[in-house]
Structures are given as structure tokens and as C-alpha cells.
Amino acid sequence: MALDTLGDARRLREDGVDERMASFERRLDARFDALRAEMYRALAIQGGVILGGVGVILALAEALN
């Protein structure tokens, strides 16, 4: 049994699969952008907490000397 891949591709394009895939890719990109922004925000908060903790430890060490 022979497969008509070119014909199948043509029928998929005619049915609008290309447009639906482009729409899906745009939505997926938007979600990844939102996830990336949330990860950077979390990283900034964690960095601030670590720096604050180091500052507190240094202040305590200085006060005890």
C-alpha cells in the first residue's frame, strides 16, 4: 500500500492545520514567556533573602566582637 504524503500534507493545509499550529505555537510561547518571568522574579527574591541573611549574620558577628 502506497502512502501519498504530499497529498496528505496538501489536505492538512487545506483544512487549516498550519493556521491552528501557528496559533498553538503563539499560545505556547506566551506561556513560556510568563513562566520565564516568574522564574526570574523568584530568583530575584531568593537572592535578596540570601543577601539579607548574610547581612544579618555579619551584623551579629560584628556585634559579638
Side-chain angles (χ1 to χ4, degrees):
M1 178 174 168
L3 295 175
D4 181 17
T5 56
L6 290 176
D8 292 340
R10 178 183 47 79
R11 281 191 293 280
L12 287 171
R13 272 193 305 277
E14 288 171 355
D15 288 342
V17 170
D18 285 341
E19 290 82 15
R20 274 178 257 160
M21 285 303 295
S23 172
F24 173 73
E25 288 174 356
R26 282 191 299 274
R27 287 188 316 215
L28 192 58
D29 286 343
R31 288 187 179 186
F32 274 120
D33 289 343
L35 177 61
R36 187 177 299 112
E38 186 64 29
M39 290 176 68
Y40 282 133
R41 197 172 308 121
L43 181 61
I45 291 169
Q46 289 173 355
V49 168
I50 290 170
L51 287 175
V54 169
V56 168
I57 291 171
L58 290 175
L60 286 173
E62 186 68 30
L64 292 176
N65 284 331

